[in-house]
Amino acid sequence: MIPPGETIGILGGGQLGRMITIAAAQLGYRTHIYAPEADSIAAGVSDAFTNAAYDNVDAFAGFVADCAVVTYEFENVPVEPLAKIDSVPLHPDPRALEIAQDRLAEKRFVSELGGIPAPFASVTSLDELGTAILDIGTPGILKTRRDGYDGKGQWQIATPSDAASLDLPGKPLVYEGFIDFFAEFSVLLCRGADGDIRFWDTPENVHKGGILSHSTIPAQANVEALVAEARALATKVAEALNYIGVLTLEFFATTDGPVFNEMAPRVHNSGHWTIEGALTSQFENHVRAICGLPMGDTSLSARSVEMRNLIGDDAHDWPDILNDPANHLHLYGKAAARPGRKMGHVTRLTLD
Ligand code: AMP
């Protein structure tokens, strides 16, 4: 067990790291952020900050030496430097990161455990794309295997002729069939060092332009009907990876059952509602799990909850948001409200 007072190292300096830091501080831990960007919004609220590239061996060793445990908030942290951490625990296991960083590896891994992703094929050339389209059909989506997030690195393919005119990015890709879903949802769990698994209620998620727009809890009944199967898969993933911490799996809800979309080996935007909407938030339970503390109750604290992301200029509405006492406003302290940038979120509880 790593007791309060010790230092938690966090790789990545964005809003997820900021919210982990706030939860860690509440439990009396210090945090040390490691991030390549100088203007880290997580470092702004942490006790220590190493501003260096992930492959800076000396900086990395100095950071690890200051920490009692290391975790990550950013999915694209290079896995290689993590292999060098042997003096302190690193949670979740970097194998989860390695799998989640590659859409192809992720789909294969989950398929082996019995999950059903969208039909998919590896693509490295226009010829292979043509074959994938013949096998899987259109419409479909071509995605970069790595480094894609919030809809970035994706191309919609409505007809086979769309593919012919594509200028492929010269990176490994995956083509996947378009899923005719009636809703999207995610499974959020936290697994402790003793193997104990806690789930939060299932948020139903609406994306706009590939970016999460809002999450509603509870989900509609026809989504709830798919939750047991989705949780069973998430449990298998967590156990196969001997996972410690918060794990998120995203699904498409279809009339044939839950279709796996992707996994995130970390706290997740679709779990931000848990700060006020659950008795223990995803951030607090992540801290508790990686430190070997007992986990807190994940039950709902309200009859229903809605979390809405504040993207780009939405954040300028903060005075109006605060005028409604049911709203809980979170602003991440980012300087510029660029289009598509997650600037904050607002959570609304319905108590009666
Ligand atoms: P991703 O980054 O892969 O999670 O994609 C972002 C969003 O694009 C998803 O949450 C869906 O709304 C949509 N999307 C991605 N892949 C598919 C698919 N195969 N079929 C239908 N919609 C998709």
Side-chain angles (χ1 to χ4, degrees):
M1 193 194 54
I2 293 153
E6 295 283 0
T7 300
I8 299 172
I10 303 172
L11 297 163
Q15 62 265 22
L16 301 178
R18 182 177 168 103
M19 288 183 270
I20 295 171
T21 292
I22 292 168
Q26 186 185 321
L27 287 172
Y29 289 96
R30 292 179 74 250
T31 52
H32 187 152
I33 300 293
Y34 190 106
E37 69 275 11
D39 59 347
S40 159
I41 53 166
V45 297
S46 71
D47 299 278
F49 179 32
T50 299
N51 176 211
Y54 290 116
D55 60 0
N56 181 329
V57 177
D58 291 342
F60 202 73
F63 161 75
V64 172
D66 183 46
C67 300
V69 57
V70 174
T71 189
Y72 45 86
E73 65 95 66
F74 175 59
E75 212 157 307
N76 293 319
V77 173
V79 174
E80 204 189 316
L82 302 187
K84 300 193 180 92
I85 302 183
D86 55 8
S87 50
V88 295
L90 169 66
H91 299 307
D93 191 300
R95 205 164 97 74
L97 201 56
E98 205 171 359
I99 292 168
Q101 283 176 355
D102 179 353
R103 289 185 188 275
L104 191 63
E106 180 179 76
K107 290 179 200 300
R108 287 178 174 153
F109 177 74
V110 166
S111 302
E112 276 166 21
L113 293 174
I116 300 173
F120 65 95
S122 164
V123 168
T124 54
S125 64
L126 272 179
D127 273 358
E128 279 182 4
L129 178 58
T131 309
I133 288 174
L134 274 180
D135 289 348
I136 293 170
T138 52
I141 307 185
L142 187 65
K143 301 179 179 179
T144 53
R145 277 172 60 177
R146 293 179 173 277
D147 298 331
Y149 65 96
D150 286 348
K152 295 185 177 73
Q154 301 194 1
W155 299 265
Q156 310 265 350
I157 297 186
T159 63
S161 60
D162 285 355
S165 57
L166 265 185
D167 192 12
L168 293 187
K171 291 179 180 170
L173 303 158
V174 59
Y175 179 72
E176 55 182 72
F178 197 82
I179 298 296
D180 184 19
F181 58 77
F182 62 80
E184 292 186 76
F185 67 99
S186 46
V187 168
L188 302 160
L189 68 76
C190 191
R191 184 169 183 271
D194 57 357
D196 182 21
I197 291 183
R198 303 284 173 95
F199 292 98
W200 281 271
D201 283 67
T202 297
E204 184 172 331
N205 304 320
V206 174
H207 292 83
K208 291 187 181 154
I211 303 177
L212 181 64
S213 163
H214 53 277
S215 297
T216 308
I217 303 93
Q220 53 178 304
N222 53 358
V223 171
E224 285 291 344
L226 307 180
V227 166
E229 192 179 336
R231 283 185 176 179
L233 178 64
T235 301
K236 284 188 195 163
V237 170
E239 287 175 350
L241 295 169
N242 198 17
Y243 197 93
I244 295 177
V246 171
L247 171 71
T248 310
L249 266 71
E250 293 185 79
F251 292 90
F252 303 122
T254 78
T255 47
D256 294 329
V259 173
F260 168 81
N261 177 21
E262 61 181 355
M263 65 185 242
R266 52 169 172 76
V267 290
H268 194 258
N269 193 171
S270 67
H272 289 1
W273 64 272
T274 61
I275 297 175
E276 294 88 8
L279 294 179
T280 314
S281 77
Q282 61 166 348
F283 303 102
E284 177 171 343
N285 263 350
H286 185 73
V287 168
R288 291 191 190 209
I290 64 171
C291 292
L293 309 184
M295 281 186 287
D297 189 341
T298 52
S299 306
L300 278 180
S301 64
R303 185 166 60 78
S304 66
V305 188
E306 186 174 85
M307 187 288 308
R308 184 165 62 87
N309 270 337
L310 300 174
I311 294 171
D313 287 339
D314 294 349
H316 295 141
D317 295 340
W318 63 264
D320 280 347
I321 293 168
L322 288 177
N323 271 330
D324 183 337
N327 287 335
H328 295 271
L329 176 67
H330 297 254
L331 292 173
Y332 304 147
K334 293 183 185 176
R338 289 196 294 274
R341 195 171 197 208
K342 290 174 178 168
M343 302 299 293
H345 71 266
V346 53
T347 301
R348 236 186 122 74
L349 306 186
T350 303
L351 297 172
D352 48 13

